[in-house]
Amino acid sequence: MKKIMIALVAMFVMTMSANAQSVNNESKLSFDRLSSYLELRIDQVEPVKTAMAQFTASMEACFQLKDGTKAGEAWEKVQNQHKKTMKKLLSEKQYEKYVQTLELTAKNTAERLMDEATAAQ
């Protein structure tokens, strides 16, 4: 089961990295939506934007790892560190909403990747 999760995480990281180039134009819109959803205060916007940029860069670094197990382990470490950073920047209510969004995004991406892998067979 752990190997399946690591493989899914590795596929998620690869997909996120591949989509990162085309998402640059959409990233501002996505951040604006996230900012609105979390109801960020003015003083939170720049620190959260910086944390998100660092998170994206760290995900891309995970993608560079060719070993799926190492990529999965690196992803877990990056995600845990990102959550700690976001917990410092957000209120408790905002953080709970953010974690739910992050986990839902990961789940939906994993399901989509599994569907694509099944359809390709």
Side-chain angles (χ1 to χ4, degrees):
M1 183 67 177
K2 187 174 181 179
K3 288 183 180 182
I4 292 172
M5 280 303 287
I6 290 174
L8 288 174
V9 168
M11 290 189 324
F12 173 72
V13 170
M14 288 184 254
T15 300
M16 293 299 289
S17 179
N19 290 333
Q21 293 172 355
S22 65
V23 173
N24 283 339
N25 294 336
E26 297 175 19
S27 65
K28 182 180 180 342
L29 179 60
S30 295
F31 182 79
D32 289 347
R33 287 180 183 159
L34 179 65
S35 177
S36 177
Y37 174 69
L38 296 177
E39 300 173 8
L40 295 180
R41 297 183 318 264
I42 300 244
D43 64 322
Q44 290 176 306
V45 172
E46 285 305 315
V48 169
K49 190 180 284 189
T50 300
M52 296 297 294
Q54 290 171 343
F55 182 55
T56 301
S58 296
M59 285 192 322
E60 290 173 4
C62 289
F63 173 69
Q64 300 302 322
L65 299 172
K66 301 298 182 195
D67 183 339
T69 302
K70 288 183 181 178
E73 291 170 357
W75 164 250
E76 286 183 37
K77 184 177 177 182
V78 165
Q79 186 176 17
N80 289 335
Q81 182 59 43
H82 179 66
K83 285 181 180 179
K84 287 179 187 177
T85 300
M86 294 301 281
K87 190 167 190 157
K88 293 177 186 175
L89 298 174
L90 302 173
S91 70
E92 187 174 327
K93 181 180 175 183
Q94 290 170 323
Y95 178 72
E96 288 174 11
K97 288 169 80 173
Y98 179 73
V99 169
Q100 288 175 345
T101 301
L102 183 65
E103 290 174 357
L104 182 61
T105 300
K107 179 183 177 229
N108 289 343
T109 301
E111 287 176 2
R112 184 176 51 85
L113 291 171
M114 291 297 286
D115 289 344
E116 289 174 4
T118 302
Q121 292 178 350

